[in-house]
Amino acid sequence: MKILVAVKRVVDANIKVRVLSDETGIDMNDTKMALNPFCEIAVEEAIRLKESGSASEVIVVSIGPEKSQEQLRTALALGADRAILLQTDQVIEPLSVAKLLAKLVQEEQPELVILGKQSIDSDNNQTAQMLAALTGRPQGTFISQLSVDNSAIHITREVDNGLQKLSLQLPAVVSVDLRLNEPRFASLPSIMKAKRKPIDRRSAESFGIDLSPRIKHLKITTPAERKSGQLVASVAELVGKLKLEAEVI
Amino acid sequence: MRPLVIAEHQQQTLDAATLSTVTAAQQIGGKVDLLICGENISSVVDQAAKIEGIYQLLVADHVCYKDQLAENTSKLLLTLSENYTHIFAAATTQGKNLLPRLAALLDVPQLSEIIQIIDANTFVRPIYAGNALATVQLEEATILATVRSTAFDAVPFCDDQAVIVYLDDVHENDLSRFIAEDLSQSDRPELGAARIVVSGGRGMGSGDNFSLLNNVADKLGAAVGASRAAVDAGFAANDMQVGQTGKIVAPELYIAVGISGAIQHLAGMKDSKVIVAINQDADAPIFQVADYGLVSDLFESLPQLEQLL
Ligand SMILES: Cc1cc2nc3c(=O)[nH]c(=O)nc-3n(C[C@H](O)[C@H](O)[C@H](O)COP(=O)(O)OP(=O)(O)OC[C@H]3O[C@@H](n4cnc5c(N)ncnc54)[C@H](O)[C@@H]3O)c2cc1C
Ligand SMILES: Nc1ncnc2c1ncn2[C@@H]1O[C@H](COP(=O)(O)O)[C@@H](O)[C@H]1O
């Protein structure tokens, strides 16, 4: 089984971003970038499927600026076999990402495509579902368990009121949630080895898909800050304030 | 304007998130329709027919919609969409599973988690875990969005009865199949709609210790939430996670116990009206958003709190 994993370069999860004072965007100057945490989980799952003999090849793909190579190298160091970079300096919306990925699915014919459930920058949570629709494949979103059984996969999804189990015929598209696995750290030898693995670089524009944004960003603003509160000295004081001052209990 | 809202329900009752989504749709203007899919859903239909300001109630009652598989419902919606200027779903796991699939079939973009409607084409939504707000505008034949329910009040019920239209389209697929579900059973209020939420983090130390929190919650009639660290450690169920990638809550009172206050956690609760933090580390970032902070060992303060309530 061939697996395609889509990975995105995003601002590191530990950084609290700042909005530019002219409200045109986020301050990206010297901002630490990383592999989207959900994509890391997606890569880890693909590698585990390869290690267990269920998968034969793991291909990672990223759509973004040239520097997305760094995240592809990370994925290669974790154990992916080869990488594809669809290079573009435009902001690519989920629908266009899904269309580009659908083209790659056509070319590569992976039985399983694994994505993150959400990009932690744009917080969209859309691409996997869109790709599944465009390729006519079944979808398994927000999964916390996956097992392969011949021509099907069995998945557990994290849903608002608990867990749901589905069975999907392959080929399928899944998006991973936090508790699917705990990604490994790349070892030094594997980081060295990853430098020799191939990255196939192509222009995202070369696919003949209209990638221009359809959602116009009028402005990006900072949400209202909360007023700083007070420390209380005891539980009794806390209960008193909640009753008499805040009047919430 | 002609908005459609996709309802969510638990077979017998409508979800509170749907009522907020209807309010958002009514802000668009025009006649708002509501679609209910499922199997044996007559009691939900009775309830929904009395939502104030609903024009038509579209009902698709068939076994193919029982499990709310996106593969099936997206195809049903595809046949309806040309009648509508907007299609809204709640920003729940169900809405997020379905709406992007429909968007791709329609070849339109989709907005996630809108929190404000400026006009029929202009919306505000949080990005970067709520550290920035984007005002976005789009011109599309049909505008698709998921709605963050904490940002809109629930629509009231009334005595009038909406027109009920039964749809008999059947959309099945043989690629995805429902196997089983393991639903959380709780007598406490639902997290997203509770007036008070008490949440525990890694500081709780174990799942058993969550009983300290449950006792306080029971006294307050509160829902119980958790941080990702507490869920990952197995102290709490996955559906209790509050945060950027879990549930978003905005109760009157949020009590965070043994939670440090990471960006991703704050994203899920910082719009609560009053925030209380109990943490033994005075430097924990949660105190920066708390209205009332108590620097103490939770194993001492939770039993005291339970007693004083
Ligand atoms: C992609 C991604 C998504 C994420 N999504 C979410 C999300 O949706 N929700 C979420 O919550 N997190 C999320 N996180 C995780 C987040 O970054 C933090 O790791 C997590 O919130 C920490 O949980 P915590 O505060 O319980 O644990 P910790 O940060 O370990 O804090 C524990 C706190 O307990 C206190 N404590 C310990 N013992 C006691 C005691 N006896 N009495 C009082 N206080 C005590 C400590 O002082 C400490 O402040 C996400 C992370 C990533 C990367
Ligand atoms: N530019 C991109 N390049 C590669 N994969 C992406 C890109 N954008 C989104 N994805 C994939 O889609 C998932 C969900 O992203 P989103 O729908 O933007 O929240 C991510 O975790 C990735 O797996």
Side-chain angles (χ1 to χ4, degrees):
Chain A
M1 175 168 81
K2 205 188 217 186
I3 301 181
L4 182 68
V5 184
V7 301
K8 187 178 180 188
R9 173 183 170 89
V10 298
V11 171
D12 186 280
N14 298 307
I15 289 174
K16 185 175 172 189
V17 296
R18 269 187 344 103
V19 171
L20 292 172
S21 55
D22 65 3
E23 302 191 336
T24 56
I26 300 295
D27 186 357
M28 297 295 267
N29 229 341
D30 282 335
T31 307
K32 188 174 172 216
M33 303 299 283
L35 186 56
N36 184 39
F38 288 100
C39 300
E40 218 177 319
I41 296 169
V43 172
E44 175 68 34
E45 195 64 17
I47 293 161
R48 288 188 191 186
L49 287 170
K50 190 176 171 196
E51 286 169 346
S52 70
S54 297
S56 51
E57 189 183 22
V58 177
I59 309 159
V60 286
V61 52
S62 192
I63 300 158
E66 203 205 331
K67 289 223 159 153
S68 309
Q69 278 191 71
E70 294 170 10
Q71 282 63 48
L72 289 171
R73 288 281 171 218
T74 305
L76 291 171
L78 290 172
D81 297 301
R82 62 185 167 96
I84 302 170
L85 172 61
L86 303 187
Q87 203 172 314
T88 176
D89 289 324
Q90 291 189 62
V91 176
I92 307 289
E93 292 172 356
L95 183 59
S96 300
V97 172
K99 287 180 183 175
L100 288 167
L101 293 177
K103 289 275 187 197
L104 280 188
V105 166
Q106 218 171 19
E107 279 180 24
E108 297 282 352
Q109 298 289 326
E111 278 87 358
L112 184 61
V113 190
I114 312 182
L115 297 89
K117 93 161 172 182
Q118 182 171 334
S119 317
I120 61 159
D121 50 2
S122 50
D123 282 335
N124 279 317
N125 192 337
Q126 298 175 1
T127 309
Q129 298 87 314
M130 288 177 162
L131 176 63
L134 295 178
T135 54
R137 294 180 170 203
Q139 69 187 48
T141 49
F142 331 140
I143 65 168
S144 60
Q145 265 179 33
L146 168 79
S147 65
V148 182
D149 165 18
N150 294 320
S151 60
I153 53 173
H154 302 290
I155 54 163
T156 302
R157 305 178 56 226
E158 291 202 359
V159 293
D160 283 336
N161 48 2
L163 297 168
Q164 183 189 56
K165 290 187 200 305
L166 299 179
S167 160
L168 309 181
Q169 283 301 311
L170 292 172
V173 177
V174 296
S175 80
V176 306
D177 216 320
L178 295 169
R179 277 159 290 272
L180 181 62
N181 61 49
E182 225 176 288
R184 69 195 67 189
F185 291 99
S187 65
L188 198 57
S190 57
I191 294 172
M192 299 310 290
K193 215 171 113 197
K195 292 194 173 148
R196 293 192 300 272
K197 291 185 184 172
I199 298 185
D200 174 15
R201 290 210 261 156
R202 300 155 74 171
S203 132
E205 283 79 14
S206 69
F207 287 82
I209 297 169
D210 181 4
L211 301 175
S212 38
R214 287 162 71 170
I215 301 170
K216 202 156 115 193
H217 282 69
L218 300 183
K219 61 178 179 181
I220 308 288
T221 53
T222 308
E225 292 279 328
R226 285 189 80 93
K227 289 199 299 284
S228 62
Q230 48 180 301
L231 285 181
V232 292
S234 67
V235 174
E237 188 186 349
L238 174 66
V239 172
K241 300 250 182 194
L242 290 178
K243 280 189 176 149
L244 302 172
E245 198 174 88
E247 298 179 26
V248 282
I249 58 171
Chain B
M1 295 302 139
R2 209 55 190 93
L4 174 71
V5 171
I6 304 164
E8 279 181 47
H9 58 87
Q10 306 301 318
Q11 198 73 24
Q12 300 297 323
T13 51
L14 274 175
D15 287 354
T18 295
L19 302 177
S20 301
T21 309
V22 170
T23 300
Q26 289 176 344
Q27 288 183 12
I28 297 292
K31 292 174 172 156
V32 177
D33 287 358
L34 184 69
L35 169 69
I36 308 186
C37 305
E39 192 202 18
N40 294 332
I41 44 175
S42 57
S43 39
V44 187
V45 171
D46 290 346
Q47 190 191 358
K50 297 215 173 311
I51 293 177
E52 195 169 279
I54 289 293
Y55 178 59
Q56 290 186 110
L57 189 57
L58 311 183
V59 179
D61 190 337
H62 189 273
V63 63
C64 69
Y65 306 118
K66 175 169 178 276
D67 305 316
Q68 308 289 344
L69 294 172
E71 290 82 348
N72 300 353
T73 31
S74 62
K75 282 195 217 141
L76 171 68
L77 277 151
L78 194 58
T79 66
L80 300 172
S81 57
E82 65 176 11
N83 304 327
Y84 296 100
T85 57
H86 296 74
I87 301 179
F88 286 179
T92 53
T93 48
Q94 189 180 314
K96 290 174 181 176
N97 186 47
L98 169 63
L99 217 58
R101 188 165 181 117
L102 174 65
L105 296 177
L106 287 170
D107 192 26
V108 297
Q110 187 238 300
L111 299 175
S112 295
E113 304 247 8
I114 58 168
I115 57 167
Q116 197 189 332
I117 293 166
I118 294 176
D119 61 43
N121 299 88
T122 317
F123 306 86
V124 180
R125 59 174 300 262
I127 52 175
Y128 289 92
N131 287 308
L133 299 177
T135 304
V136 295
Q137 195 168 60
L138 68 179
E139 306 280 343
E140 298 290 343
T142 312
I143 291 179
L144 268 55
T146 58
V147 174
R148 182 173 285 190
S149 57
T150 53
F152 298 89
D153 289 335
V155 66
F157 289 94
C158 66
D159 290 331
D160 300 338
Q161 173 92 20
V163 179
I164 300 180
V165 179
Y166 287 92
L167 309 171
D168 36 56
D169 312 41
V170 172
H171 295 280
E172 291 170 313
N173 88 87
D174 46 17
L175 300 178
S176 66
R177 198 157 48 88
F178 174 86
I179 303 293
E181 60 192 355
D182 181 1
L183 301 184
S184 305
Q185 303 294 339
S186 168
D187 298 334
R188 299 200 179 83
E190 186 216 327
L191 251 184
R195 201 183 70 81
I196 302 178
V197 175
V198 187
S199 286
R202 201 198 308 265
M204 295 302 297
S206 75
D208 287 343
N209 292 338
F210 258 72
S211 62
L212 298 172
L213 214 61
N214 294 343
N215 294 344
V216 170
D218 289 343
K219 284 266 172 99
L220 291 167
V224 179
S227 71
R228 173 191 173 181
V231 177
D232 284 3
F235 303 172
N238 66 284
D239 54 12
M240 290 164 69
Q241 181 179 314
V242 170
Q244 178 189 17
T245 58
K247 283 187 179 148
I248 309 290
V249 301
E252 297 271 298
L253 174 61
Y254 187 88
I255 306 182
V257 184
I259 291 178
S260 61
I263 302 170
Q264 293 83 7
H265 189 78
L266 300 185
M269 44 64 79
K270 71 180 161 58
D271 291 328
S272 304
K273 197 161 147 246
V274 174
I275 297 175
V276 169
I278 300 177
N279 195 305
Q280 65 187 10
D281 173 9
D283 295 325
I286 190 78
F287 287 120
Q288 288 160 25
V289 300
D291 299 282
Y292 301 103
L294 177 63
V295 180
S296 79
D297 182 346
L298 66 92
F299 295 102
E300 285 169 23
S301 43
L302 279 182
Q304 283 177 30
L305 184 58
E306 184 197 341
Q307 218 168 30
L308 290 178
L309 289 170

